Amino acid sequence: MDASDSSDADAADAAAAAQRSPDHHRDRDHDRDSDGVLAEQLLRLTRRLHRIQSRQLEPIGITPAQFRLLRTVASYDAAPRMADLAQRLDVVPRAVTTLVDALEASGRVRRAPDPDSRRVVRIEITDEGRATLRSLRNARRAAAEEILAPLTACQREVLGELLSALVDGMPERRC
């Protein structure tokens, strides 16, 4: 492509842009604004849910991060390694160590040696940890109910589908 071809292409692009209605740009800007508003609403909802959940968890004496770790430990068939937990939670191993220390101090988990390697430590949930999880699940349900109270059953179902699409990624748009 020589310089004249390039300038012809530039001129064609400019002409096409000039022919577009101002509404085209306004629609694109509106879409960006709408996306920004949606993102802000999601962030506000997340913060609200976190505050409500923290308030529900406080009497139990556990933080949301400790709750997440406890749920994760309980989700394994066999006691996980610290590295497994860090990977599953997508955090640095040091963060897992701090959470395990706090949960171990409260008797909710315990460190156990790996039968196959002396250097590996496994994290086991204790009976106290299981009892805490039951209480925490009730607190979590109460927090969710508080957030979802304004919605009908049908709206909750639609919201669930939309959130699944956001979390899992939607392969194609339906709208």
Side-chain angles (χ1 to χ4, degrees):
M1 175 186 289
D2 66 20
S4 66
D5 290 340
S6 176
S7 63
D8 289 346
D10 291 343
D13 289 344
Q19 289 178 354
R20 287 189 200 119
S21 70
D23 290 341
H24 173 75
H25 295 291
R26 195 172 319 136
D27 290 346
R28 190 173 58 212
D29 291 343
H30 175 73
D31 289 347
R32 285 188 204 136
D33 290 346
S34 295
D35 290 347
V37 169
L38 284 173
E40 181 60 30
Q41 287 174 317
L42 286 170
L43 289 171
R44 287 177 48 212
L45 181 61
T46 300
R47 287 190 295 265
R48 183 170 173 227
L49 184 57
H50 186 74
R51 278 192 310 274
I52 291 168
Q53 186 175 14
S54 293
R55 189 177 67 234
Q56 298 278 348
L57 298 179
E58 191 175 347
I60 299 168
I62 195 167
T63 67
Q66 290 169 351
F67 176 31
R68 187 170 172 232
L69 180 80
L70 195 59
R71 276 192 348 256
T72 303
V73 171
S75 72
Y76 281 88
D77 291 332
R81 300 173 304 142
M82 299 278 258
D84 299 330
L85 293 169
Q87 183 178 11
R88 171 95 49 102
L89 294 170
D90 195 25
V91 298
V92 296
R94 179 69 190 124
V96 171
T97 301
T98 301
L99 293 170
V100 167
D101 287 347
L103 289 170
E104 188 175 40
S106 66
R108 293 177 173 126
V109 298
R110 68 176 153 259
R111 287 174 167 89
D114 184 286
D116 300 325
S117 174
R118 292 184 308 169
R119 293 187 302 169
V120 175
V121 174
R122 301 250 174 206
I123 307 303
E124 298 175 340
I125 190 167
T126 63
D127 290 340
E128 175 68 23
R130 283 186 194 83
T132 299
L133 264 183
R134 283 189 295 277
S135 296
L136 293 170
R137 286 186 181 117
N138 292 336
R140 189 173 202 197
R141 271 193 293 280
E145 183 56 41
E146 186 174 334
I147 287 283
L148 298 173
L151 302 180
T152 66
C154 182
Q155 289 171 323
R156 289 178 187 206
E157 186 176 331
V158 169
L159 177 62
E161 292 170 4
L162 293 170
L163 290 173
S164 291
L166 290 173
V167 170
D168 302 334
M170 190 171 6
E172 62 185 55
R173 288 183 176 246
R174 294 180 228 186
C175 298

